[in-house]
């Protein structure tokens, strides 16, 4: 009311204002997101079919099921970075662990570096970019280990 009007008049007259940002209020951490881009180049028809299947699986894993009134959560994804040594695989220790995620975005670009096509009309290269968001925000104690 009147106090705010007086404060505004004083601020305008003196060319100053009160600093309302002396201390930033901490309210929460954000949910972590991760984005990965894969450039896939098919050498034969079998690899072209595999790339098509990969793109399709990502797209199917993006959407929830249901109708406009109630949706069933989309599938959760487990992301791991592995080093393969023969028949076994171990987690890479230099890359931080990622918790359970939802797939939130899929982008597909065809022939982004050249305008060349296979004789059957399929693209020479396919770039797939996927974005994931963890299912929960973390504290220092809840980070995946």
């Amino acid at each position: 009311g009147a106090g705010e009007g007086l404060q505004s008049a004083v601020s305008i007259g003196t060319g100053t204002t009160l600093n309302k940002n002396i201390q930033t209020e901490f309210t929460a951490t954000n949910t972590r997101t991760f984005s990965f881009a894969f450039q896939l180049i098919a050498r034969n028809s079998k690899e072209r079919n595999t790339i098509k299947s990969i793109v399709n699986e990502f797209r199917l894993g993006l959407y929830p099921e249901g109708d406009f009134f109630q949706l069933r959560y989309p599938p959760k994804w487990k992301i791991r970075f592995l080093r393969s040594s023969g028949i076994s695989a171990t987690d890479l220790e230099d890359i931080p662990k990622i918790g359970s995620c939802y797939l939130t975005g899929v982008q597909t670009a065809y022939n982004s570096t050249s305008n060349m096509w296979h004789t059957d009309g399929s693209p020479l290269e396919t770039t797939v970019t996927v974005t994931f968001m963890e299912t929960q925000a973390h504290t220092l104690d809840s980070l995946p280990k």
Side-chain angles (χ1 to χ4, degrees), residues 81-100:
F81 299 94
L82 302 173
R83 175 183 9 182
S84 177
S85 56
I87 58 173
S88 65
T90 57
D91 286 299
L92 293 174
E93 296 301 321
D94 293 333
I95 300 177
K97 305 293 186 274
I98 298 175
S100 178

Side-chain angles (χ1 to χ4, degrees), residues 2 4 17-18 35 47 55 61 75 80 92 97 119 129 133:
E4 290 177 10
T17 187
L18 294 176
S35 185
E47 289 181 358
V55 170
R80 293 175 62 194
L92 293 174
K97 305 293 186 274
T119 55
T129 304
M133 179 185 288

Side-chain angles (χ1 to χ4, degrees), residues 31-38 58 61-62 75-79 98-106 129-135:
T31 306
R32 300 188 306 173
T33 60
F34 303 90
S35 185
F36 305 98
F38 304 96
F58 277 129
L62 175 65
K76 292 180 183 177
W77 294 73
K78 176 69 177 166
I79 300 170
I98 298 175
S100 178
C101 292
Y102 293 116
L103 180 60
T104 59
V106 177
T129 304
V130 289
T131 304
F132 294 91
M133 179 185 288
E134 284 184 318
T135 58

Side-chain angles (χ1 to χ4, degrees), residues 6-7 16 20 27 31 33 45 56 67 78 82 90-91 107 112-113 122 128-129 138 141:
L6 179 61
Q7 182 180 354
T16 63
K20 298 177 185 174
T27 56
T31 306
T33 60
S45 62
N56 192 47
D67 54 29
K78 176 69 177 166
L82 302 173
T90 57
D91 286 299
Q107 295 180 357
S112 59
T113 62
S122 61
V128 180
T129 304
H138 291 289
D141 295 329

